[in-house]
Amino acid sequence: MSAPARTLAMGQDEAVAGGRPSVEAPFGRALAKLGQTRPDIVGLTADLGKYTDIHPFRDAFPDRFFNVGMAEQNLVAVAAGLARTGLVPFATTYGVFATRRAFDFVAIACAHSNLNVKIIAGLPGLTTGYGGTHQAIEDLALMRMIPGLTIIDPCDATEIEAATAAIADHQGPVYMRLLRGGVPVVLDPSYTFEIGKAVTLRDGKDVGIVSTGLMTERALDAADILAKRGVAVAVLHVPTIKPFDVEAVASFCAGVDHVLTAENHVVVGGLGSLVVETLFDSGVGKKVTRVGLPDRYIECGSVPTLQARYGITTEAIVAKIGALQ
Amino acid sequence: MLRNSPPGDADIGTLEGRATNLRRHMLTMARGQGAGYIGQGLGIADTLAALYFHELRYDPSDVTWAERDRFLLSTGHYSIALWAALAEAGILPVNELSTYGADDSRLEMSTLDTTPGVELIGGSLGHGLGQAVGQALGLRLQKSVARVFVELSDGEMQEGSTWEAAMSASHFKLDGLVALVDCNGIQADGPVVLDMEPVADKWRAFGWDVSEIDGNDMNAIVGALMLARSQNGKPTAIILRTLPGKGVARIEASEKAHFFRVDVKEWDGIIADFEQSVGAKQ
Ligand SMILES: Cc1ncc(C[n+]2csc(CCOP(=O)(O)OP(=O)(O)O)c2C)c(N)n1
Ligand SMILES: [Mg+2]
C-alpha cells in the first residue's frame, strides 16, 4: 500500500502554484508597505494572524494592530467601530467565519452604513482539506447579496498587491478573498488592476473562458494546452465579483462560439450565475458551461486530491472544453 | 455491554495506563501523517481516559444507544485525541489509526459526525456548548438519565456563542451537563492572545458550579467528575489546566505546539523516547 496522501495543514501554502514563481505573503507585504504612507490603516485579526499573512503589517506597526482573539463577530463589529472614527481597518479571518459566522455584522454594522471596512478572507473555495467547516465554497454567493459591498477574488500575487492598494483607496466596505503563503505570479508586471473592471488576458474565437480567482491561472494553462490542439481559447479574468463588469462580460461572450465559466466556488450563486444573468439581461443568447464546485459539502482530504475530485483543475477545464467540440 | 453503569470507584493506576495507551495511539497517528494537533491531544489525554474508562456510560457495540452519555468534542482539531479514545474503547479499529488525516480516512484532522462515536461537527469553533445545552434539554425532556459532557478549548471561550450557551445552561438548570474547559494556554497565533482570566470566576458568575484542577492529574480529574454528579440544579464546569504535549518531552518543549510537524525519522525518536519514559515509570 502506498503512503496515504497528506492533508495540507494550516499555515502551509495551499494556493498550489502551477510551477510558476511565487511571492511570499503578498497581502501582508502590500499592507505593510501601505502602512508607511497611510497612518489611517489599521490591522485586525481573530486569532489567525499567522494564517492570513497579516504578520508583516503586525510586525511593522504593532500599535496599529489588534488581535481580538477567536471572535469573528466581534472582529467585524470592532472594525466597524474603528471605521467610524475615520480609520481604515483591514480585518482578517477565514472566509467561512467572515461570512457564515459574522454575516449580520458585515451586513448591518459595515455595509448598511457604507463603512470603510476591508474584510480579508483566507481559504477561499476549496483551498483547504479541513472539510466543510473551513471551505468557503459559497462565500461569493452570500456576500453578493449584501448591498454596497465590493467583492474581489484576485488570481495571483501581483493582483493581490495591486488590489490591496486599490481597496485601501476605495471608500466603502470590501470583501476580498485571500491567497496566502507562497502565491504564484500569473499576471504580467504591466497588469493594472481596477475595481469593477474585467480584463481580457487572451484572445481566441472558439471558446471564451470567464474566470475569477485562482481559476484564472488554470484557465490560462488550459488555453495553452488547447492551443496546441488547434482550439483558440480566450480568457476574460473577472477579479471583481461586485460591482460586476456587465459590459465587458457581455461583449466578450458575444465574440466567442462557446462560453465557459471557471470559479473556485459552488456553481450556483457565484461567477457562473452572474454570467448567466448578465447574458440573459444583455440579450446575448449563448449556452454557458460552468466549471466550479458542486452544490454539496466536501469532505476532508489533501487539497490536490479534492480539487481534482471536484473538478476545479486545469484538466477539468480542458475536459469540459473537449466535450463541447 | 454497558460500561461503568453506574460509575464505580476509580482505579487511578488503571486509568493512567489507559491515558498512556491514548498517548501511544496519538503518536502512531501523528507519525503516519508527519504532523497533527498532537500537542493538544497529549494534553487532553488524561481527561479522555477518565471519561471513556470511568465516567461515561456507553455501549461500544452500539454507539447509537439512546441512553448513552454524550461526549461532545467541541474543539474539532482535537480529533486525534478522540480517535485514540474511540479506538481504545473498541469503537474504532486500532489498525485504522495510522490513516489519520489521509485522503478518504474517517479519522479526519477535524471531526465530522459521519465517524462512529462523534456527536457533533467540531471544526467551526464555538459550536459545542450550545449543542450540548440542546442535547441536555432534549434528554431531560424525554426523562433520560443520560448526561452530556462537552469539551471546549480556551480559545473557544473567546467566541460569544460560548457565553450565550453558558447563560442558557444555568437558566435551564442543566445539572446533567458538564463542560470540560481545556485551558492549555495556546491558540492559533501562539500563547493565548486575549487574557481569559479569571476563568473560574467567569463560569461561576454565569451560574455554574466550578472545579479548577490540574488537567493532567488523574486523581484530580476523577474527583472533579465525581463532584459534577451532584444534582443540585446547576451545570458544572471543570477548568482543566493542561500542558500541551504532556508526557512527550520533545513536544512539551516545542514552540510550534498549535500544529506540530516533524519528519518521520524524528517521530521514531520521539516514540522511542516516549516508550522509554513509560517503561522507566513502571
Ligand atoms: C470559528 C472559528 N474561528 C477560527 C478558527 C480557526 N482556528 C482553528 S484552531 C484556532 C485556535 C483556537 O484556540 P484553541 O482551540 O485554544 O487552540 P489550541 O489550544 O488548539 O492551540 C483557530 C483560531 C476556527 N476553527 N473556528
Ligand atoms: Mg488552547
Side-chain angles (χ1 to χ4, degrees), chain A residues 53 56 64-65 69 76 98 122 145 151 153 179 189 214 226 228 308 315:
Chain A
D53 283 358
R64 283 196 260 152
F65 181 76
V76 177
M145 295 299 125
I151 303 170
D153 189 6
L179 300 175
L214 61 75
L226 288 159
K228 291 188 193 120
E315 293 71 30

Side-chain angles (χ1 to χ4, degrees), chain A residues 7 10 47 49 70 72 302 305, chain B residues 37 101 103 158-159 187 189:
Chain A
T7 299
M10 297 168 75
D47 189 28
M70 185 172 65
E72 295 76 15
S302 67
T305 301
Chain B
Y37 295 94
D103 286 352
Q158 295 163 355
E159 291 286 356
Q187 57 186 116
D189 274 337

Side-chain angles (χ1 to χ4, degrees), chain A residues 97-118:
Chain A
F97 309 128
T99 56
R100 298 175 193 158
R101 182 75 54 105
F103 193 84
D104 187 39
F105 292 82
V106 177
I108 303 305
C110 300
H112 201 304
S113 305
N114 195 39
L115 293 185
N116 217 357
V117 172
K118 320 299 171 183

Side-chain angles (χ1 to χ4, degrees), chain A residues 100 124-126 135-144 153 177 212 215 241 261-274 290-298 310-312:
Chain A
R100 298 175 193 158
L126 182 50
Q135 295 154 350
I137 59 173
E138 80 295 54
D139 61 332
L140 300 177
L142 288 169
M143 299 321 254
R144 248 188 85 196
D153 189 6
R177 280 179 147 196
T212 188
M215 291 306 284
I241 295 298
T261 60
E263 63 195 305
N264 172 28
H265 185 269
V266 288
V267 290
V268 287
L271 179 72
S273 293
L274 272 161
R290 304 184 201 186
V291 169
L293 298 169
D295 182 18
R296 58 161 287 173
Y297 292 109
I298 293 170
Y310 291 102
I312 56 164

Side-chain angles (χ1 to χ4, degrees), chain B residues 8-264:
Chain B
D9 285 339
D11 178 343
I12 299 300
T14 305
L15 290 176
E16 285 172 345
R18 293 289 197 175
T20 298
N21 291 348
L22 298 193
R23 292 192 163 92
R24 185 173 290 124
H25 293 327
M26 289 186 230
L27 289 169
T28 306
M29 280 183 261
R31 185 190 181 280
Q33 202 50 209
Y37 295 94
I38 181 82
Q40 295 88 332
L42 294 167
I44 201 75
D46 302 297
T47 301
L48 290 202
L51 285 171
Y52 277 87
F53 303 101
H54 174 60
E55 193 69 18
L56 293 180
R57 298 165 68 253
Y58 63 100
D59 179 355
S61 68
D62 179 12
V63 293
T64 64
W65 176 44
E67 286 298 314
R68 72 191 180 282
D69 287 342
R70 273 46 170 193
F71 173 64
L72 280 63
L73 183 86
S74 182
T75 317
H77 63 276
Y78 280 27
S79 64
I80 191 168
L82 185 58
W83 308 143
L86 294 175
E88 181 71 10
I91 294 169
L92 294 173
V94 170
N95 65 12
E96 200 174 319
L97 293 175
S98 63
T99 70
Y100 168 65
D103 286 352
D104 299 320
S105 171
R106 299 190 292 177
L107 312 185
E108 302 97 358
M109 283 224 184
S110 186
T111 49
L112 295 181
D113 61 358
T114 37
T115 307
V118 179
E119 305 277 3
L120 94 161
I121 295 174
S124 184
L125 299 174
H127 280 215
L129 192 59
Q131 295 191 40
V133 168
Q135 295 201 20
L137 274 174
L139 290 165
R140 188 173 70 185
L141 190 63
Q142 294 166 76
K143 310 260 185 295
S144 171
V145 295
R147 299 161 75 208
V148 179
F149 297 78
V150 54
E151 172 280 342
L152 58 138
S153 66
D154 40 8
E156 290 190 87
M157 281 192 290
Q158 295 163 355
E159 291 286 356
S161 57
T162 295
W163 299 105
E164 295 170 23
M167 255 182 283
S168 63
S170 53
H171 173 78
F172 293 123
K173 302 187 169 36
L174 294 175
D175 53 16
L177 175 65
V178 180
L180 301 139
V181 186
D182 183 28
C183 293
N184 67 355
I186 58 169
Q187 57 186 116
D189 274 337
V192 279
V193 300
L194 207 73
D195 187 5
M196 300 305 300
E197 301 302 337
V199 172
D201 288 350
K202 286 189 171 68
W203 288 90
R204 252 180 232 118
F206 276 72
W208 290 57
D209 272 344
V210 180
S211 298
E212 186 168 12
I213 59 169
D214 175 348
N216 297 119
D217 176 343
M218 191 59 77
N219 258 309
I221 298 167
V222 166
L225 287 171
M226 174 75 93
L227 284 178
R229 290 180 202 163
S230 126
Q231 294 179 326
N232 62 354
K234 283 172 138 195
T236 298
I238 302 176
I239 314 300
L240 304 157
R241 301 289 175 178
T242 61
L243 181 66
K246 178 70 187 182
V248 181
R250 256 191 266 180
I251 303 180
E252 282 181 18
S254 161
E255 279 172 45
K256 328 172 261 194
H258 177 75
F259 190 78
F260 190 80
R261 177 186 299 284
V262 293
D263 65 33
V264 167

